[in-house]
Amino acid sequence: MNRILSALVAGLVFGIGIAVSGMANPAKVLNFFDPLGTWDPSLAFVMGGALMTTFIGYRVIFGRRQAPLFDTKFHLPTARTIDARLIGGSALFGVGWGISGFCPGGAIPALGFAPWPTALFLIAMGAGILLARWLQALPRRQIA
Amino acid sequence: MSTVTEFTPFASFIGGVLIGLGAVILMGFNGRIAGMTAMLGGVLEPRSPDSPWRLAFLAGAIVAPLIATLMGAEFAFASPTTGVLLAIGGVIVGVGVTYGSGCTSGHGVCGLARLSPRSLVATLTFMATTFLTVTLMRHVFGD
């Protein structure tokens, strides 16, 4: 129960941050990537504020505690390899982000105040995730 | 298909700090990375033991702007693209974040804050292809 409540609080803070920052506004996000046109550099300030806070906060947490308050250990990613899957997937994600102006973290809070057309994007994204999981579950021989 | 948006350095910075604070809360209390791609697993794997807290994070992220709006806050929003492109973009984002194991929140914020080389490569890659896509669509193939 504690874990659910703390995740809810974290989600509330994260979601309001996304909305205030402008990350849930596709027009604003796309304009960050358009220095040749209607440029809006605000996104750099979002990344700056988020990175600074997380960098310092993580260091304070990892420096003072062996485990989080409501769990027995920190669950940190263990993958180390930089492979075609990581780079290809990330490259594809950028193409989709550039077409739609939505990333997952921006779209979820946008659902709360601009349900349409956000829902359309999220349904399509869900289909994409399921498609990729299905492809990943196929035996490797069948793909190659 | 571009719309002028207001440059909001102060609001964007404060919003960024709040995004970071959400990530720090989730690490301090639950020991988890605040990546939205992973959170969506809460919907797609309802039987996983991680599903309840992931759904709680998602619910909080959706409800917070809704409550703020009901209390009188206004958030600028414009989707300068067509429904067809939004759907195509959505499918590509879904495939990409699954193969790339993360998105702007997981790699771009949490991963970079941990100085993860994988996240640095992922973030540089998607920032570059997003820039290329927007530039091609607006200035090469667009008007």
Side-chain angles (χ1 to χ4, degrees):
Chain A
M1 197 60 210
N2 281 341
R3 276 181 217 175
I4 295 176
L5 277 179
S6 51
L8 177 69
V9 171
L12 286 166
V13 176
F14 184 94
I16 202 70
I18 291 282
V20 169
S21 72
M23 283 294 289
N25 182 357
K28 194 173 185 66
V29 170
L30 291 174
N31 279 347
F32 175 76
F33 294 100
D34 192 12
L36 305 173
T38 50
W39 196 38
D40 177 354
S42 304
L43 197 70
F45 291 78
V46 185
M47 286 303 280
L51 258 181
M52 188 192 76
T53 308
T54 313
F55 185 83
I56 296 171
Y58 275 9
R59 247 135 219 88
V60 171
I61 292 169
F62 296 144
R64 294 194 182 175
R65 298 193 59 93
Q66 297 297 311
L69 278 168
F70 297 153
D71 205 335
T72 51
K73 65 180 177 103
F74 293 109
H75 302 265
L76 301 176
T78 51
R80 288 282 176 275
T81 46
I82 293 168
D83 52 12
R85 182 167 284 219
L86 177 80
I87 294 171
S90 299
L92 262 186
F93 161 49
V95 171
W97 196 18
I99 292 174
S100 63
F102 278 117
C103 60
I108 289 290
L111 196 59
F113 67 95
W116 189 263
T118 307
L120 172 65
F121 170 83
L122 282 171
I123 290 167
M125 186 183 78
I129 294 175
L130 292 175
L131 172 67
R133 287 184 175 201
W134 180 75
L135 288 172
Q136 286 179 336
L138 289 178
R140 284 186 173 264
R141 262 171 309 175
Q142 292 186 17
I143 305 172
Chain B
M1 287 204 296
S2 60
T3 316
V4 175
T5 52
E6 190 192 346
F7 176 48
T8 55
F10 187 70
S12 288
F13 181 78
I14 295 298
V17 168
L18 288 170
I19 294 168
L21 200 57
V24 171
I25 292 170
L26 196 68
M27 185 58 75
F29 286 86
N30 295 42
R32 299 286 182 163
I33 296 285
M36 201 50 96
T37 298
M39 294 304 156
L40 293 166
V43 181
L44 300 170
E45 298 146 24
R47 290 184 182 175
S48 156
D50 290 327
S51 183
W53 68 264
R54 283 178 170 161
L55 288 175
F57 184 95
L58 286 172
I62 296 171
V63 163
L66 176 66
I67 295 173
T69 307
L70 294 176
M71 286 174 18
E74 282 183 28
F75 304 115
F77 181 91
S79 174
T81 188
T82 63
V84 172
L85 284 176
L86 216 48
I88 294 171
V91 172
I92 298 175
V93 167
V95 173
V97 296
T98 305
Y99 276 96
S101 310
C103 54
T104 331
S105 47
H107 281 310
V109 176
C110 300
L112 288 190
R114 291 175 56 237
L115 304 178
S116 153
R118 260 173 70 86
S119 290
L120 179 64
V121 169
T123 306
L124 291 176
T125 304
F126 65 67
M127 295 298 273
T129 56
T130 309
F131 170 74
L132 278 174
T133 304
V134 172
T135 304
L136 283 175
M137 288 182 68
R138 287 190 174 177
H139 302 291
V140 180
F141 299 111
D143 45 276

